[in-house]
Amino acid sequence: MVCDAFGGVALALGDTEQLVFPRSAVKAIQALPLMESGAADALGFGDKELALACASHRGEAPHADLAESMLSRADLGEADLECGSHWPFNQDAMVSLARSGGTPSQLHNNCSGKHSGFLCTCRHLRMNHRGYVGFDHPMQGLIREAMQDVTGAVHSAENSAIDGCSIPTHSVPLKSLAVGFAKMATGEGLSALRAKAAGRLLAACMNEPFFMSGSDSLDMPLMQAAPGRIFVKSGAEGMFCAALPELGLGVALKCDDGAGRAGDAMIAAVLARLLRVDVELSAKLTEMAQPVVPSRRGAPVGLIRPTPDLMR
């Protein structure tokens, strides 16, 4: 689904009426209270910290170190996180940690930057941060208000579930997400404070895509293909949200079977289609949408191809 900030539909393919759990694809919206509360400025956060607050990072050392730094500025630490721990998603980082005899901490969780942002917001607002992941915690109330305002979709207990990192996630229409990211990119329909916060967060992610994703995530090369022109954020189970500020468009898509590699091909194909006026960029994105499948020896043995409807 591709929409402008006023709900105009630029592209609709598949079952666009279905409700989806956007999961991590909406982290930039969830980071709005960090900006709007004044916490980010009070703690001296720059683009790297803001990008990490919107990130699904790969657990590489710079990611974990920066999350720890963010927390320390608010006199907090790893033990204050409530996201749980897992091994780094990046294989090199995982192997390095294992070889050193280390074990993963909550800082390696791909959502630790987002959670660090939540905790810093709590501290700045003098909120008790304990239990900040709970539906009834004031921090989650701030996030729900931001999500509802930006997307126009109801976020209530009735359409909520628990995400992998323990915070609430809500099932909403694809169109609401697409409109929401068009608003984030343009500021249309948002208060002046919220529009400024949204613009700064998206700019930080586009300026520091490594800290918003990581070495082996498609989000980073997609944004690097057109610096400052493409914002894209993946979510679990084949979910993507994106924004094209120059076109005033927001994008939301879901690969029904949750396949990550299929979702990657889909978002690259849609971006190539929307940016086809820029022939060179569109060709680069089209190549990303059709990655080669290698054998274990590195020989090309196949090709992932989006459906023709996506490639038009």
Side-chain angles (χ1 to χ4, degrees):
M1 194 83 183
V2 183
C3 297
D4 64 26
F6 304 99
V9 177
L11 178 64
L13 296 170
D15 182 6
T16 58
E17 299 300 318
Q18 70 170 309
L19 301 179
V20 299
F21 286 104
R23 310 287 294 274
S24 292
V26 293
K27 284 181 177 177
I29 304 176
Q30 294 171 333
L32 285 169
L34 172 67
M35 292 297 311
E36 295 169 352
S37 67
D41 288 334
L43 295 170
F45 289 171
D47 283 352
K48 290 180 180 179
E49 289 84 0
L50 296 181
L52 197 73
C54 302
S56 294
H57 64 71
R58 310 299 289 175
E60 295 166 84
H63 298 139
D65 291 346
L66 187 59
E68 186 172 41
S69 171
M70 290 170 66
L71 291 168
S72 69
R73 294 192 209 183
D75 296 321
L76 296 164
E78 185 268 345
D80 294 299
L81 292 168
E82 298 178 15
C83 54
S85 61
H86 60 68
W87 286 95
F89 288 161
N90 177 268
Q91 186 171 0
D92 289 341
M94 178 180 66
V95 170
S96 177
L97 182 62
R99 280 179 174 167
S100 71
T103 56
S105 75
Q106 294 188 95
L107 296 170
H108 295 101
N109 186 303
N110 71 302
C111 296
S112 68
K114 174 181 75 175
H115 281 248
S116 295
F118 294 166
L119 282 167
C120 288
T121 304
C122 288
R123 182 69 95 192
H124 182 72
L125 294 176
R126 299 182 180 178
M127 226 182 249
N128 181 0
H129 62 273
R130 303 297 180 191
Y132 70 89
V133 298
F135 185 91
D136 293 326
H137 192 278
M139 185 66 233
Q140 295 305 320
L142 291 177
I143 294 168
R144 277 197 302 280
E145 185 280 324
M147 288 294 305
Q148 291 186 154
D149 179 54
V150 173
T151 67
V154 173
H155 286 61
S156 66
E158 286 69 34
N159 67 333
S160 71
I162 303 300
D163 212 337
C165 67
S166 297
I167 71 163
T169 182
H170 297 79
S171 60
V172 297
L174 277 174
K175 183 176 181 179
S176 298
L177 297 170
V179 170
F181 275 92
K183 288 175 159 182
M184 290 283 286
T186 64
E188 295 285 354
L190 303 179
S191 70
L193 176 65
R194 182 149 288 170
K196 183 178 179 181
R200 190 169 169 195
L201 287 167
L202 295 196
C205 293
M206 291 187 284
N207 290 340
E208 296 288 349
F210 169 78
F211 284 97
M212 203 273 278
S213 53
S215 296
D216 48 2
S217 170
L218 186 68
D219 297 19
M220 184 166 75
L222 284 173
M223 288 190 282
Q224 289 174 329
R229 297 174 63 192
I230 295 173
F231 168 84
V232 63
K233 180 68 190 72
S234 56
E237 303 295 333
M239 187 71 212
F240 272 96
C241 288
L244 299 173
E246 68 193 68
L247 300 179
L249 297 175
V251 181
L253 68 80
K254 173 78 167 78
C255 178
D256 274 343
D257 71 356
R261 72 176 188 176
D264 286 357
M266 290 166 67
I267 190 64
V270 170
L271 293 173
R273 176 173 176 166
L274 295 174
L275 293 164
R276 59 190 166 198
V277 171
D278 187 331
V279 176
E280 183 178 350
L281 173 58
S282 185
K284 187 184 297 186
L285 295 169
T286 297
E287 185 177 350
M288 292 183 190
Q290 301 177 91
V292 170
V293 178
S295 72
R296 292 296 181 183
R297 297 175 61 191
V301 295
L303 188 72
I304 296 172
R305 291 180 293 181
T307 63
D309 282 346
L310 284 170
M311 299 296 290
R312 286 177 184 169

